[in-house]
Amino acid sequence: MQIQVNDEMHDVHSEILADILDELGYGAARIATAVDGTFVPASRRAAFRLPPHARLEIVAPMQGG
Amino acid sequence: MLFYGEELRSRLMLGTAQYDSPSILADAVREGNPGLVTVSLRREAAGAMAGQAFWELIKAFGIPVLPNTAGCHTVKEAVTTAHMAREVFDTDWVKLEVIGQGDLLQPDVFALVEAARILTEDGFKVFPYTTEDLVVAERLLRAGCEVLMPWGAPIGSGRGLNNLFGLRAMRGHFPGIPMVVDAGIGRPSHAVAAFELGFDAILINTAVAKAGDPVTMARAFRLACEIGLDAFAADPMPERDMAVPSTPTLGKAMLDA
């Protein structure tokens, strides 16, 4: 199905967030996720199912003031 | 002075953005000896994984991190970002920014109070970036904040303490509340002035990162924090309108014959 990842369209095979992150190459990276603007904790990724055309945000540590 | 029960190793809070290289940031942290560093969250591209390398650098500093919600303009954005930051940085501390006005990056204090209430109820320890408005400060405390962070001047402006009267009034009105001047400080002299007013810490970024020599400037700010804290503790003399001779006049020879 197609989803939007950080503003870019991606075709992914899985509907499960944890599997999608693996598929996209994030593996064990220190990241946080939100789907359609709602935070999805790491503890829920294995059971969280994305709807088609979902907006997935993936963020990581960055410089800040 | 404790910040949510934690004694920081110094009263300098240092941002990690805008340095020309990671090694300059690391050197600035070494010379500035900050009590904490501020960090942020941004989109991570699977190919680059820039955030992972940055996290390794930050971890090596061995000091607390204060994640921010920079760039957020709504309560929902700020609250969601705070939740993501808590998971990524493994801390319930958050520097809460909700920007309401683009030109001055002025906080939307109404949204700030609401976001602070939601986050404190959810166990966050909120460091709110606010103005020197006493009413807003009171609302933030009622919302559960135990630290206040009024701006000195707009973020990145380097203009110092724009409203000395307002900051002095705020400090006087909330004795015992840990207070940090956040944003606007451009020079070590501004930092000294903040501590002389009785503020407990300063939070700076651009002043160090965009100095010609960031590492030396970090050291200058470390010293300024120490000077300012000592000066406040030493209880400066009151200002007078008229001159008062410092050399005793008693016993002065009469030579004007």
Side-chain angles (χ1 to χ4, degrees), chain A residues 17-37:
Chain A
L17 179 54
D19 298 337
I20 291 171
L21 293 173
D22 275 344
E23 195 179 326
L24 293 173
Y26 287 94
R30 183 172 281 262
I31 54 170
T33 54
V35 175
D36 293 329

Side-chain angles (χ1 to χ4, degrees), chain B residues 144-210:
Chain B
C145 297
E146 296 179 18
V147 173
L148 294 171
M149 299 214 301
W151 63 352
I155 294 169
S157 69
R159 298 177 65 88
L161 308 184
N162 254 359
N163 182 0
L164 270 176
F165 173 80
L167 289 169
R168 186 182 292 117
M170 190 176 191
R171 176 68 281 180
H173 194 70
F174 300 104
I177 300 294
M179 248 185 245
V180 183
V181 173
D182 174 16
I185 288 178
R187 296 161 190 265
S189 55
H190 301 154
V192 173
F195 285 107
E196 287 181 354
L197 285 178
F199 282 84
D200 301 296
I202 58 160
L203 200 165
I204 57 171
N205 189 160
T206 312
V208 170
K210 289 301 167 194

Side-chain angles (χ1 to χ4, degrees), chain B residues 90-113:
Chain B
D90 200 21
T91 177
D92 51 13
W93 286 17
V94 64
K95 178 190 169 189
L96 183 60
E97 294 182 33
V98 188
I99 300 301
Q101 207 285 330
D103 288 339
L104 299 180
L105 296 179
Q106 186 158 1
D108 176 342
V109 294
F110 306 98
L112 179 71
V113 170

Side-chain angles (χ1 to χ4, degrees), chain A residues 6-7 24-27 29-34 36-43 45 57-65, chain B residues 15-17 38-46 49 51-52 54-55 68 76 80 83-84 87-89 95 97 203 205:
Chain A
N6 290 348
D7 250 359
L24 293 173
Y26 287 94
R30 183 172 281 262
I31 54 170
T33 54
D36 293 329
T38 300
F39 171 56
V40 181
S43 58
R45 286 179 198 155
E57 291 285 340
I58 303 171
V59 296
M62 196 54 62
Q63 296 85 346
Chain B
T16 56
T38 57
V39 290
S40 186
L41 287 175
R42 286 295 179 266
R43 286 170 167 170
E44 181 83 320
M49 290 290 193
Q52 311 308 305
F54 175 68
W55 177 239
N68 69 28
K76 182 176 188 298
T80 303
H83 278 278
M84 296 170 102
E87 184 168 274
V88 164
F89 294 109
K95 178 190 169 189
E97 294 182 33
L203 200 165
N205 189 160

